[in-house]
Amino acid sequence: MKVFITGASSGIGEALAVYYAAQGATLGLVARRADFLHGLNERLGGGHACYPLDVTDAPALHDAATDFMQRFGAPHVVIANAGVSSGTLTEHQEDLAVIRRILEINVFGMAATFSPFIAAMQKRGSGRLVGIASVAGIRGLPGAEAYSASKAAAIAYLESLRLEMRPSGVKVVTIAPGYIETPMTAINPYPMPFMLPAKEAARRFARAIERGTSYTVI
């Protein structure tokens, strides 16, 4: 099995990498922090492909995807997990740049992750394109305007992509997590109900991915 994961250096992405490596998968690991990526690869026994890049850099993602497919073949699962969150308030002029950056990473970065793999997966007639959305995309959260909007956009984007991919046999899986124990949630100063450890979340994500579930809230 071959799995390509963005945002792999920490949190959910790291937990998914650990899970799939334990199943014997060959991984393509993408994140901005090269040292974290290579450290993860070593912990997983080496042999996986590391691509230090920003998911908003579509040409770099294309080159990474091309390299991965030349070395290992088309992946069975592509997980667009890279995402960021930050408190934003529209009335603050300085927050506009933050809003743009969040939307670029969380929405455009997802499309840029999938794009290089689609033709090869369609030709094979199988595979999973997995987008990590959020329950924040279902109901906007105060002070998280950009994050909530980006996850709502991700859900709609994935729905459209699912309909486009259906005739080819490639399944599009939307996962909308609640609170997961990650560095992203560790800074939240408020109660977070139904918090899941990242390891358990990864197990549940993988189960939904294997089933090809169209949409699931975890």
Side-chain angles (χ1 to χ4, degrees):
M1 187 177 190
K2 298 175 285 287
V3 183
F4 192 90
I5 307 171
T6 65
S9 63
S10 67
I12 293 171
E14 180 184 9
L16 285 166
V18 170
Y19 176 89
Y20 280 111
Q23 309 305 309
T26 298
L27 306 178
L29 303 171
V30 174
R32 287 175 291 180
R33 299 176 294 181
D35 53 341
F36 281 73
L37 273 187
H38 292 299
L40 175 60
N41 190 22
E42 289 180 10
R43 298 202 321 269
L44 299 179
H48 306 290
C50 295
Y51 303 104
L53 58 86
D54 188 312
V55 294
T56 63
D57 187 344
L61 260 174
H62 184 274
D63 290 345
T66 299
D67 177 77
F68 185 83
M69 288 190 287
Q70 286 175 344
R71 293 169 61 184
F72 307 112
H76 300 94
V77 179
V78 178
I79 305 176
N81 166 73
V84 295
S85 179
S86 180
T88 52
L89 293 172
T90 303
E91 65 266 31
H92 292 170
Q93 183 73 21
E94 63 272 20
D95 281 5
L96 293 178
V98 180
I99 291 171
R100 173 178 286 172
R101 177 67 175 161
I102 290 172
L103 289 167
E104 286 178 348
I105 294 172
N106 295 2
V107 185
F108 176 77
M110 184 175 288
T113 297
F114 293 152
S115 177
F117 295 110
I118 286 177
M121 295 174 83
Q122 285 179 316
K123 183 177 180 180
R124 188 181 58 204
S126 65
R128 305 282 192 271
L129 298 172
V130 183
I132 307 302
S134 170
V135 294
I138 302 167
R139 181 69 178 266
L141 302 176
E145 300 155 352
Y147 183 74
S148 298
S150 73
K151 293 304 184 179
I155 290 170
Y157 162 73
L158 291 162
E159 183 178 14
S160 295
L161 186 63
R162 182 177 303 113
L163 297 172
E164 294 163 6
M165 293 296 105
R166 184 168 291 164
S168 71
V170 178
K171 293 185 179 296
V172 176
V173 176
T174 302
I175 298 178
Y179 292 112
I180 311 294
E181 287 182 4
T182 67
M184 185 183 292
T185 57
I187 62 173
N188 291 343
Y190 48 80
M192 292 172 282
F194 310 111
M195 176 83 82
L196 276 180
K199 182 177 180 180
E200 172 61 17
R203 187 186 68 81
R204 296 190 190 187
F205 286 20
R207 190 168 57 193
I209 292 166
E210 183 178 358
R211 291 196 305 259
T213 305
S214 294
Y215 178 92
T216 185
V217 174
I218 295 176

